[in-house]
Amino acid sequence: MKHGKKYEAALKLVDKTKAYTIEEACELIKKTTVTKFDSTIGLSMRLNINTKKADQQVRGTVILPAGTGKNVRVVAITNKVDDALKAGADYAGGKELLEKIVTEKWFDFDVMCATPEMMGEIGKNGRVLGPKGLMPNPKTGTVGPDIAKMVKELKAGKVEYRADRDGNVNVGIGKSSFDTEKLVENAKTLVNQILKVRPSTVKGNYVISCYISSTMGPSIKISL
């Protein structure tokens, strides 16, 4: 594969034979971004898990202390509309708003959260919301009685992590414009969370590899 001059120049800054500390990697990743726009910085971990086994699923949410650098548009389906809007929800409503989303195919938002009493109606529209990854789920912290708390956490930088069928977890932890300290803080928070939820049935090494990368830029190996 041929790469541009910027990528080749950035690649020369990375020692492919070395595994960097999180601090070193976060400092270096800012020097190896190649885009003119504010690149997304992502952390990828390959885990020694068998996702075909129910007791080796790795999925959940974590609040990144420095946020994601992205303005997350939150829609709340709830009877507590005022509470949701005061907490910072971009849109909030009950059955009427849900009907608009489904019938008009209106998806001008990033995440949907809901209070339990609305899940019956939302569940009926799973075929529309599910494929787009918008179905609220208690496991991801998007269903619960405290709508205000959910909205605040989502707006503050709450992200979902989930291992794919090959055991890979990929999560955006910030932007290239972030200070190195903020990237380090977010990276360590995510890594610690993944380590915390290690399935008890996993034998041997849990984390096979860990890399940090920027949009269209070279990846940097991290030693944990």
Side-chain angles (χ1 to χ4, degrees):
M1 181 182 291
K2 292 185 178 180
H3 294 288
K5 293 181 179 180
K6 287 185 178 180
Y7 181 93
E8 294 295 340
L11 190 60
K12 291 179 180 179
L13 299 176
V14 182
D15 184 350
K16 288 296 183 179
T17 66
K18 178 181 178 180
Y20 295 81
T21 65
I22 289 180
E23 290 81 1
E24 291 172 335
C26 288
E27 183 175 357
L28 182 56
I29 199 68
K30 289 175 61 63
K31 299 176 182 178
T32 59
T33 54
V34 296
T35 60
K36 293 182 179 180
F37 57 85
D38 196 7
S39 300
T40 295
I41 306 300
L43 193 74
S44 301
M45 299 175 72
R46 186 181 178 192
L47 307 179
N48 178 29
I49 58 175
N50 184 350
T51 54
K52 293 181 180 179
K53 296 183 178 181
D55 59 359
Q56 291 195 21
Q57 302 297 314
V58 174
R59 180 184 184 184
T61 59
V62 61
I63 298 176
L64 300 178
T68 62
K70 179 182 178 181
N71 178 29
V72 181
R73 298 167 299 173
V74 178
V75 62
I77 304 301
T78 177
N79 290 329
K80 304 174 183 177
V81 175
D82 290 341
D83 291 348
L85 291 174
K86 287 179 181 179
D90 296 272
Y91 311 98
K95 293 181 181 180
E96 305 82 12
L97 181 56
L98 181 61
E99 185 177 347
K100 174 183 177 180
I101 293 170
V102 175
T103 59
E104 298 181 15
K105 300 295 188 293
W106 177 74
F107 301 111
D108 193 23
F109 56 90
D110 302 300
V111 61
M112 176 186 289
C113 59
T115 40
E117 75 277 358
M118 300 302 298
M119 287 307 296
E121 292 297 322
I122 293 174
K124 296 176 183 177
N125 299 288
R127 290 184 179 180
V128 176
L129 300 173
K132 292 186 174 293
L134 296 173
M135 275 292 290
N137 189 319
K139 292 183 179 179
T140 60
T142 48
V143 178
D146 193 341
I147 193 69
K149 180 182 179 182
M150 286 190 291
V151 169
K152 288 178 181 178
E153 289 180 345
L154 290 168
K155 297 292 285 187
K158 188 174 188 177
V159 296
E160 179 183 2
Y161 60 86
R162 183 176 187 177
D164 62 21
R165 64 181 182 179
D166 296 317
N168 300 308
V169 176
N170 303 291
V171 178
I173 60 167
K175 296 288 185 178
S176 57
S177 59
F178 276 27
D179 294 336
T180 301
E181 293 74 17
K182 289 185 177 181
L183 288 176
V184 169
E185 191 176 17
N186 280 355
K188 286 186 173 181
T189 298
L190 176 61
V191 168
N192 288 336
Q193 177 63 21
I194 299 299
L195 295 178
K196 181 180 178 182
V197 297
R198 171 179 176 150
S200 59
T201 54
V202 172
K203 306 299 181 183
N205 290 334
Y206 173 46
V207 179
I208 298 174
S209 62
C210 181
Y211 286 85
I212 190 172
S213 61
S214 61
T215 305
M216 299 169 65
S219 60
I220 299 169
K221 188 174 184 178
I222 292 177
S223 170
L224 300 181

